[in-house]
Amino acid sequence: MLFGSIVYGPIHSRRLGTSLGIELMPLEHKLCTFNCVYCECGWNTPVSHPQLPTREEVKKALEEKLSTFHTFRSFSKGDKNFQLSTLDVITFSGNGEPTLHPDFLGIIEDTCALRDRYCPNAKVSVLSNSTQLGRPDVVQALRLCDNRILKLDAGTDTMMRMIDLPVNENLTVQTIMSWLQQFDGDFTLQTCFLRGEHNGQVIDNTTPEELEAWYKAVDALHPKQIMIYVIDRKTPEENLSKISRTEMESIAAPLIAKGYDVSISA
Ligand code: SF4
């Protein structure tokens, strides 16, 4: 599933509410530093010169959408259609990793300014796989956002690499954690739980050993919120199974008992 325009929606997101999406990656194929076995956008497609929207194109597309929205909101205020015009969040996600865009910082600055002008109650959120957090401009941009929703799918290198298939095969959980620690817990940690098989290797980040390593990582990072979720749509690796709601609640329970704010999408 690919998003075919720079600005799309609003759509109802099971995790974020009414969300206007922004796509910074190519519209025709996925571009990401991970190649997750569960990615709803499918496998990465190698392309020598990927076409990304410019900062100006993103600003123009967003302003066009928000101004329409704003007009509708003013027009419909007070009547029963008003609920249709509420927007909870402007979300960067889509066909890959949004922080790969070379003008990511400038685009976030533009987006925050447009949000302040047209829909000051909406949050600006970024769903990221955390792999670009070694870049100061990306960290600076994410600090400007209301919600930084950052991925860590496992507490061990072996499982993280089996699930996320990072393009940089030497990437370690320790490196990702050291980058995440720059936010002093002021972020949302997102983790997808799943079981299955890929290329003859068993994938399972719900075993007692894997959960122990992940819980340790959570305690070291102490995120202000944790989002755990399960696969929801068709996945590129077909040999994956969905974790039940009951099991997800068991995974969350020890963290909730410690006082963490945990949301479950299952
Ligand atoms: S990080 Fe996100 S976009 Fe990238 S492969 Fe994984 S699920 Fe897909």
Side-chain angles (χ1 to χ4, degrees):
M1 187 187 79
L2 293 172
F3 296 94
S5 59
I6 297 172
V7 176
Y8 55 90
I11 56 173
H12 179 72
S13 158
R14 62 185 172 142
R15 291 190 273 165
L16 302 172
T18 305
S19 167
L20 192 66
I22 303 189
E23 178 57 74
L24 299 185
M25 292 296 102
L27 302 180
E28 303 78 23
H29 59 90
K30 191 185 98 180
L31 183 65
C32 194
T33 43
F34 278 173
N35 203 12
C36 303
V37 292
Y38 61 81
C39 182
E40 293 173 355
C41 299
W43 297 120
N44 286 342
T45 316
V47 172
S48 46
H49 300 291
Q51 294 293 312
L52 306 182
T54 64
R55 174 178 175 176
E56 292 68 33
E57 285 170 338
V58 176
K59 185 178 176 188
K60 184 167 178 279
L62 181 60
E63 182 149 29
E64 274 172 9
K65 187 78 172 187
L66 288 180
S67 58
T68 314
F69 211 65
H70 184 72
T71 307
F72 175 65
R73 184 187 168 101
S74 310
F75 180 69
S76 59
K77 202 169 186 174
D79 75 28
K80 64 181 188 312
N81 290 325
F82 182 64
Q83 281 304 316
L84 293 173
S85 66
T86 56
L87 181 66
D88 297 318
V89 62
I90 299 170
T91 309
F92 289 81
S93 64
N95 303 341
E97 173 51 35
T99 63
L100 280 175
H101 196 292
D103 275 334
F104 183 66
L105 173 57
I107 289 170
I108 291 292
E109 287 170 345
D110 293 344
T111 301
C112 290
L114 290 171
R115 180 274 312 272
D116 293 347
R117 182 167 168 203
Y118 291 106
C119 51
N121 293 329
K123 308 282 186 209
V124 175
S125 297
V126 177
L127 288 155
S128 166
N129 67 13
S130 315
T131 60
Q132 300 303 298
L133 298 180
R135 282 172 45 201
D137 60 317
V138 170
V139 173
Q140 192 185 341
L142 290 174
R143 286 191 201 284
L144 296 176
C145 300
D146 300 289
N147 298 315
R148 298 157 281 281
I149 305 169
L150 306 173
K151 187 188 293 292
L152 182 68
D153 278 337
T156 66
D157 291 341
T158 307
M159 192 53 61
M160 180 273 287
R161 289 172 184 161
M162 281 202 283
I163 294 174
D164 298 333
L165 301 174
V167 172
N168 172 5
E169 293 174 356
N170 297 318
L171 184 68
T172 65
V173 168
Q174 197 48 52
T175 300
I176 297 171
M177 285 180 58
S178 69
W179 288 335
L180 289 170
Q181 278 165 334
Q182 297 174 95
F183 297 108
D184 292 324
D186 189 10
F187 69 99
T188 298
L189 183 74
Q190 55 160 334
T191 302
C192 181
F193 282 99
L194 70 159
R195 280 193 281 270
E197 209 179 294
H198 175 65
N199 284 349
Q201 287 188 306
V202 173
I203 294 170
D204 186 353
N205 58 353
T206 69
T207 64
E209 298 74 27
E210 285 300 329
L211 284 177
E212 191 186 337
W214 181 75
Y215 288 140
K216 267 191 194 160
V218 171
D219 277 335
L221 296 170
H222 221 276
K224 69 175 182 187
Q225 200 194 16
I226 301 165
M227 282 182 178
I228 59 174
Y229 61 105
V230 298
I231 52 178
D232 190 40
R233 297 197 181 99
K234 192 168 166 17
T235 55
E237 172 52 71
E238 290 177 358
N239 293 319
L240 301 178
S241 59
K242 186 171 176 167
I243 308 297
S244 70
R245 171 94 200 172
T246 309
E247 195 174 343
M248 292 294 278
E249 285 170 352
S250 302
I251 290 170
L255 297 176
I256 293 169
K258 283 184 180 178
Y260 286 103
D261 176 357
V262 186
S263 70
I264 303 171
S265 295

